[in-house]
Amino acid sequence: EDKVVQSPLSLVVHEGDTVTLNCSYEVTNFRSLLWYKQEKKAPTFLFMLTSSGIEKKSGRLSSILDKKELFSILNITATQTGDSAIYLCAAGPNFGNEKLTFGTGTRLTIIP
Amino acid sequence: DAGVTQSPTHLIKTRGQHVTLRCSPISGHKSVSWYQQVLGQGPQFIFQYYEKEERGRGNFPDRFSARQFPNYSSELNVNALLLGDSALYLCASSSWGTDTQYFGPGTRLTVL
């Protein structure tokens, strides 16, 4: 059975801190690892990673995939209160099959 | 451009009733997927449709069904509602061949 595990489940830090969120996966015919941010309802797309060892960056957020060890991390530097959200990790199988297996998510709370 | 839209926003039903949820994908997207997100959990894959054909089904009972229309919009139907069906139902659209899925705001279903 496909599985995605995220850690920690919950994280509380002060504004300005740097955080690292973890995601490990076991997915048949793995092709891509996606990160989403969920604040109220709709998960918002952050990154998709398909190649091992290549970092993707967007502002203060960055992510990298290790296909040998089957994990990914999401880093957020200089955190702001607007970063408070649930961060979801999802893994997808072969090209053209778009079923995503999600982890439970990491609830990140930034204290001003 | 409009994102993924879903209706209704909220819905309250009683056990045993039937419900229909609707989704309109991003313009140009031909694939629609449905996910169920129970409180405190990550989204769980229910169905994927592309060009009006079912391309994937998750581990859900036959009470759940869906279809896609010629304009690529989609409906999710749930019969004989149970208390455990209470959840946020998310619709996601994508272009065929990419794993990047964009989510709608969801429909919050409460079964009493």
Side-chain angles (χ1 to χ4, degrees), chain A residues 57-70:
Chain A
K57 293 196 73 170
S58 177
R60 296 177 294 102
L61 278 66
S62 64
S63 183
I64 196 162
L65 174 67
D66 185 327
K67 293 172 75 172
K68 182 180 177 183
E69 300 297 330
L70 307 184

Side-chain angles (χ1 to χ4, degrees), chain A residues 31-32 34 36 38 40-45 48 50 88 92-105, chain B residues 9-10 31 33 35 37 40-43 45 48 55 88 90 94-106 108:
Chain A
R31 178 176 182 266
S32 56
L34 293 87
Y36 288 87
Q38 188 173 31
K40 295 266 178 80
K41 282 190 174 182
T44 304
F45 172 76
M48 181 172 72
T50 57
L88 295 166
N94 273 344
F95 183 90
N97 181 343
E98 299 178 332
K99 169 192 171 183
L100 292 177
T101 300
F102 281 84
T104 303
Chain B
T9 305
H10 296 91
S31 176
S33 297
Y35 292 82
Q37 187 175 23
Q41 299 294 318
F45 175 75
Q48 184 212 354
R55 294 301 182 110
L88 179 67
L90 294 164
S94 65
S95 300
W96 185 251
T98 172
D99 289 336
T100 304
Q101 296 184 38
Y102 298 92
F103 284 85
R108 173 74 63 188

Side-chain angles (χ1 to χ4, degrees), chain A residues 26-110:
Chain A
E26 291 179 35
V27 171
T28 304
N29 298 321
F30 170 83
R31 178 176 182 266
S32 56
L33 189 294
L34 293 87
W35 285 95
Y36 288 87
K37 177 183 182 182
Q38 188 173 31
E39 293 178 85
K40 295 266 178 80
K41 282 190 174 182
T44 304
F45 172 76
L46 295 175
F47 296 111
M48 181 172 72
L49 305 113
T50 57
S51 300
S52 195
I54 298 176
E55 185 182 48
K56 288 216 172 179
K57 293 196 73 170
S58 177
R60 296 177 294 102
L61 278 66
S62 64
S63 183
I64 196 162
L65 174 67
D66 185 327
K67 293 172 75 172
K68 182 180 177 183
E69 300 297 330
L70 307 184
F71 80 89
S72 173
I73 60 172
L74 175 68
N75 283 314
I76 308 175
T77 60
T79 52
Q80 303 171 356
T81 54
D83 295 328
S84 294
I86 296 173
Y87 289 84
L88 295 166
C89 171
N94 273 344
F95 183 90
N97 181 343
E98 299 178 332
K99 169 192 171 183
L100 292 177
T101 300
F102 281 84
T104 303
T106 294
R107 179 179 293 277
L108 176 64
T109 303
I110 309 299

Side-chain angles (χ1 to χ4, degrees), chain B residues 42-100:
Chain B
Q44 189 173 358
F45 175 75
I46 309 176
F47 286 110
Q48 184 212 354
Y49 275 79
Y50 173 72
E51 291 285 13
K52 295 167 287 180
E53 288 188 10
E54 182 183 303
R55 294 301 182 110
R57 171 186 277 260
N59 189 23
F60 279 80
D62 291 344
R63 299 185 295 109
F64 288 76
S65 64
R67 56 180 176 166
Q68 187 176 34
F69 299 99
N71 66 353
Y72 304 111
S73 66
S74 177
E75 282 182 355
L76 175 69
N77 295 284
V78 187
N79 293 322
L81 285 167
L82 304 174
L83 295 179
D85 295 331
S86 295
L88 179 67
Y89 287 84
L90 294 164
C91 172
S93 77
S94 65
S95 300
W96 185 251
T98 172
D99 289 336
T100 304

